[in-house]
Amino acid sequence: MTISEPQVAVISTQLLLDALRSRVRGEVSDSALRRAEYATDASNYRVLPTVVVYPLDADDLVAITAVARDQGIPLTLRGGGTSVAGNSIGDGIVVDVSVHMNRVISIDPVARTARVQPGTVMSTLQEAAKPYGLRLGPDPSTSTRASIGGMIGNNACGPHAVAYGKMSDNVVELDVVDGAGRRYVARDDLTVVPGLERFVSEHLALIRTEFGQFGRQVSGYSLEHLLPENGRQLAKALVGTEGTLVTILEATVALVPIPPNPSLVVLGYPTMVAAADDVPRLLLHHPQAMEGMDAGLVEVVRRARGSAAVPDLPDGQGWLMIEMADVDANEAIAASERLVADASTDSYRILPAGPDASRLWRLRADGAGLGGRTPSGRQAWPGWEDAAVPPSALGAYLREFQQLMSAQGLDGMIYGHFGDGCVHVRVDLPLEERPNSLRVFATEAAKLVTSHGGSLSGEHGDGRARSELLDLMYSADALIAMRQLKGLFDPTNLLNPGIIVEPAPLDAQLRRPRALPILKAGGFAFTEDDGDFTKAVHRCTGVGKCRADNGGSGDSCVLRSKLRRTKLM
């Protein structure tokens, strides 16, 4: 009797389930509900997994990786699901470490380090470190739901990266198991991976000329950390690899002192480009943070939250928000005044630490969440939302980027970490009518950013959104080298395949279901979404806030306590 392909699939899935349940103490589920929940993240993509697993601890996680190797099944790790590049979804085993593996194991206030499990939410770590006067330096706006493992996977940054660097600058060591099943603590020893020392010695010139060329070069692998002059830092090189080389079991990260007496300078400019032009000069004042925000973003916050949510801003259509800090509060204000004197605008506010400054930072954070709509109300999408250039090229890049959007009839609100040259924008691509618009725009945008010596990604990683475009940023030799590195760590290509190396097409598996009209009677009509329920659902794309733990505030859709009971996305 011949067994059909569907029957083979059922048998294979049952064998996988049996293997996992016999070796893993945490829950293993292949229910339609669980698989559907984990088929998407905060990106434009939908990939249905075969099975979802919730490990209880590192032993469970090691066992899951062993089953994946034995069965030849792809493995994808997932934290908060806040990825806007599609790097936390996959068609094999998806592992949610945020449900059980979410503890701060220990904090060493003398060494200024913390040991954490990969599913630990960033805000949980910040609260645990706060009594010691410490914090994790990188601080993305998704801090209430982003996991440390995901931040390591993407090489996350945030507003204060201008002072504290990326996650790669803040990782001390990683307890990992790689795709070949080897478990080790990654520090500065390359011998734990056979062939790695030789790989580095054979590619010294290539690594020195193409990798680590500026602070926010996040796309691809960060091979520069493996160089002898950089200390052969394997742990740092594994940051930003998006789960394609190793599975993180535990991480030790560096902590920094909480900035004392931070003052906030808000500078107003006639345009965002004018603000960007001022960035290189103002960086000479060594700020703690330097954020850019345009008038469109402010207007969206005003429309969504009301005028009371928008504090008084200096005159302008684009603003720089700059944090200065000093042990002495008066000196922080004096430093702010010196910065203002060096700015090319007379429109400014200086605020000491306090509620007014906090409201302005909240304005920036709210704008990031509401940036999924343009000022005209059109749906805007990620996919090209975090490109970066050297700060000296920021003004020129923004001029040409705005011209590119205009030439293609597109719009988007620009903001981001201007002190690092990282630009956030979501673009109103007509994905419903013209799915190919994503490929056309992303390709031209990639050519533009690389022409300015930039990176396709400045902090979110390449994922499914940008990996295919890496050949526009790196030489053929560099791409070959990255494939060779992947082979050393994951010879059978089971760890998050289709990301970075041998990438899936950027417009494959887009999650654009057919319209589902809602009758305008006896309930919600979704008038702002043209009466289309699927459009309303897609408002969440690029936000991930339904995973937030806001201490019971009304902003979160699902509180963490409820999440642990239901394991919702």
Side-chain angles (χ1 to χ4, degrees):
M1 181 180 69
T2 302
I3 301 177
S4 66
E5 287 188 13
Q7 289 175 313
V8 170
V10 170
I11 294 171
S12 298
T13 299
Q14 190 58 53
L15 290 173
L16 174 62
L17 291 168
D18 292 343
L20 287 169
R21 287 169 176 156
S22 68
R23 301 180 65 174
V24 176
R25 290 172 296 120
E27 181 186 348
V28 176
S29 177
D30 70 331
S31 73
L33 173 62
R34 291 291 180 238
R35 294 171 65 213
E37 287 172 348
Y38 288 85
T40 63
D41 50 16
S43 73
N44 300 332
Y45 301 94
R46 185 178 189 273
V47 180
L48 193 66
T50 303
V51 61
V52 180
V53 189
Y54 306 92
L56 296 182
D57 52 26
D59 289 340
D60 263 4
L61 195 45
V62 170
I64 295 167
T65 64
V67 171
R69 292 192 305 277
D70 293 343
Q71 302 274 334
I73 300 295
L75 178 69
T76 301
L77 269 287
R78 181 185 179 108
T82 61
S83 167
V84 288
N87 35 23
S88 64
I89 51 178
D91 59 4
I93 304 170
V94 168
V95 181
D96 185 346
V97 294
S98 72
V99 176
H100 302 295
M101 297 182 67
N102 51 27
R103 294 188 301 109
V104 177
I105 299 169
S106 65
I107 291 179
D108 185 336
V110 177
R112 292 181 178 174
T113 60
R115 290 175 56 218
V116 299
Q117 294 179 308
T120 305
V121 173
M122 178 193 162
S123 58
T124 301
L125 173 57
Q126 302 293 47
E127 285 300 311
K130 188 176 180 179
Y132 302 100
L134 300 172
R135 54 162 284 173
L136 180 68
D139 55 347
S141 62
T142 54
S143 62
T144 56
R145 56 267 197 204
S147 68
I148 300 299
M151 291 173 63
I152 293 171
N154 292 352
N155 207 354
C157 302
H160 287 89
V162 70
Y164 304 124
K166 308 182 293 292
M167 279 300 295
S168 57
D169 301 304
N170 294 271
V171 165
V172 177
E173 62 182 34
L174 298 173
D175 184 0
V176 302
V177 56
D178 65 19
R182 299 174 294 242
R183 182 176 179 178
Y184 44 85
V185 175
R187 297 188 188 91
D188 55 359
D189 180 7
L190 305 189
T191 63
V192 294
V193 180
L196 184 56
E197 281 190 309
R198 180 178 178 181
F199 168 85
V200 174
S201 66
E202 291 177 348
H203 294 87
L204 288 174
L206 176 70
I207 296 171
R208 286 169 177 153
T209 55
E210 293 204 39
F211 296 86
Q213 299 303 294
F214 76 106
R216 284 295 185 107
Q217 185 177 334
V218 167
S219 281
Y221 292 143
S222 296
L223 302 185
E224 69 275 9
H225 297 295
L226 300 174
L227 292 170
E229 62 266 32
N230 292 335
R232 301 181 182 273
Q233 294 291 331
L234 176 57
K236 296 183 184 302
L238 291 175
V239 179
T241 57
E242 303 179 38
T244 63
L245 303 185
V246 298
T247 296
I248 298 172
L249 308 174
E250 184 182 302
T252 300
V253 296
L255 302 175
V256 298
I258 296 173
N261 303 309
S263 66
L264 175 62
V265 180
V266 185
L267 300 172
Y269 296 85
T271 65
M272 283 306 301
V273 171
D277 286 336
D278 232 8
V279 166
R281 178 192 300 112
L282 300 179
L283 283 174
L284 299 176
H285 292 264
H286 306 292
Q288 295 285 306
M290 185 181 294
E291 297 291 285
M293 180 174 63
D294 78 356
L297 203 68
V298 173
E299 180 55 34
V300 166
V301 173
R302 179 180 287 112
R303 189 169 61 225
R305 304 272 195 243
S307 296
V310 180
D312 290 336
L313 289 163
D315 292 340
Q317 293 297 301
W319 295 272
L320 290 179
M321 298 176 59
I322 305 171
E323 183 178 280
M324 306 294 290
D326 196 275
V327 174
D328 182 85
N330 292 328
E331 179 53 34
I333 296 296
S336 300
E337 291 171 344
R338 291 192 293 269
L339 181 141
V340 167
D342 208 17
S344 62
T345 178
D346 295 325
S347 179
Y348 69 91
R349 287 188 70 190
I350 299 177
L351 296 94
D356 289 340
S358 296
R359 289 180 66 226
L360 278 164
W361 280 118
R362 177 62 184 269
L363 172 66
R364 161 66 176 83
D366 281 351
L370 295 168
R373 291 276 166 151
T374 66
S376 65
R378 285 179 55 83
Q379 177 73 58
W381 304 95
W384 191 259
E385 79 293 328
D386 74 317
V389 296
S392 60
L394 183 58
Y397 167 68
L398 279 185
R399 283 184 180 86
E400 295 180 43
F401 182 72
Q402 289 178 331
Q403 292 169 2
L404 173 62
M405 286 197 297
S406 178
Q408 297 197 15
L410 301 172
D411 191 15
M413 295 175 292
I414 292 173
Y415 62 101
H417 314 305
F418 277 25
D420 288 308
C422 185
V423 178
H424 289 323
V425 62
R426 291 186 183 136
V427 183
D428 60 347
L429 296 161
L431 292 183
E432 297 97 330
E433 301 86 11
R434 291 188 288 116
N436 190 52
S437 61
L438 174 61
R439 172 173 295 278
V440 172
F441 177 74
T443 301
E444 292 304 311
K447 293 177 181 177
L448 174 60
V449 78
T450 55
S451 74
H452 288 280
S455 177
L456 312 183
S457 171
E459 65 177 331
H460 295 162
D462 298 308
R464 297 173 185 274
R466 288 173 288 272
S467 293
E468 186 190 356
L469 301 171
L470 286 173
D471 62 354
L472 297 175
M473 178 176 168
Y474 288 105
S475 68
D477 287 342
L479 295 175
I480 291 171
M482 285 190 275
R483 286 197 293 272
Q484 291 173 341
L485 185 77
K486 166 79 166 173
L488 292 177
F489 286 84
D490 181 29
T492 54
N493 193 26
L494 292 180
L495 299 184
N496 213 358
I499 306 296
I500 304 179
V501 171
E502 298 181 17
L506 65 88
D507 50 1
Q509 297 173 307
L510 292 174
R511 59 179 180 109
R512 290 304 305 152
R514 288 180 292 182
L516 182 61
I518 301 297
L519 296 177
K520 298 180 182 181
F524 292 112
F526 296 101
T527 55
E528 293 186 3
D529 298 284
D530 304 320
D532 185 348
F533 180 67
T534 60
K535 284 188 178 181
V537 168
H538 281 273
R539 282 179 181 268
C540 289
T541 297
V543 178
K545 202 169 183 180
C546 57
R547 291 297 302 258
D549 181 356
N550 292 329
S553 76
D555 288 338
S556 67
C557 304
V558 180
L559 295 179
R560 179 66 57 173
S561 59
K562 183 178 179 182
L563 170 67
R564 288 184 180 130
R565 293 195 303 272
T566 63
K567 305 185 185 72
L568 290 174
M569 288 174 51

